[in-house]
Amino acid sequence: MSISKLQRAAVGGALRGPSERWLVGFEMVISMTNIFQIEARAILEGLKLSWKRGFRQVEVESDNALLIDTIRNDFAENNNTVEIRLIHE
């Protein structure tokens, strides 16, 4: 029997203001199974930090077009990735 190992990944991000001025950054080490989930977690944590700091209108940047498409086109409700559903909420 094979047991799949969770891999550890470092994720992080930065919040910038309207004038592109750096506001705050974050980084963490997480255990995830695939790159899609890792990148979704980074976006989720960035959004949580934004809301905690009082920012309600934010722009998310990512080089993962599939992830952004999934979030923007309401595919999140039917997605098996918990982070995607949390981002949608």
Side-chain angles (χ1 to χ4, degrees), residues 8-13 26-30 32 41-42 45-46 48:
R8 297 177 67 75
V11 300
F26 70 94
E27 61 182 31
M28 62 180 36
V29 176
I30 59 174
M32 296 285 167
R41 177 69 182 270
E45 294 301 327
K48 286 168 46 177

Side-chain angles (χ1 to χ4, degrees), residues 67-87:
L67 176 58
I68 297 301
D69 192 44
T70 300
I71 295 167
R72 288 184 63 191
N73 292 315
D74 294 329
F75 298 132
E77 293 176 0
N78 300 322
N79 197 290
N80 292 332
T81 306
V82 172
E83 291 78 11
I84 297 295
R85 290 193 308 265
L86 291 172
I87 289 168

Side-chain angles (χ1 to χ4, degrees), residues 11-28:
V11 300
L15 303 181
R16 296 178 297 192
S19 63
E20 300 294 317
R21 186 176 61 89
W22 182 85
L23 299 173
V24 66
F26 70 94
E27 61 182 31
M28 62 180 36

Side-chain angles (χ1 to χ4, degrees), residues 38-67:
I38 292 166
E39 292 182 2
R41 177 69 182 270
I43 290 175
L44 175 62
E45 294 301 327
L47 290 172
K48 286 168 46 177
L49 180 59
S50 298
W51 276 73
K52 185 177 181 180
R53 297 268 179 151
F55 303 110
R56 297 295 184 256
Q57 292 184 352
V58 298
E59 180 177 313
V60 174
E61 294 180 10
S62 172
D63 60 356
N64 188 327
L66 178 60
L67 176 58

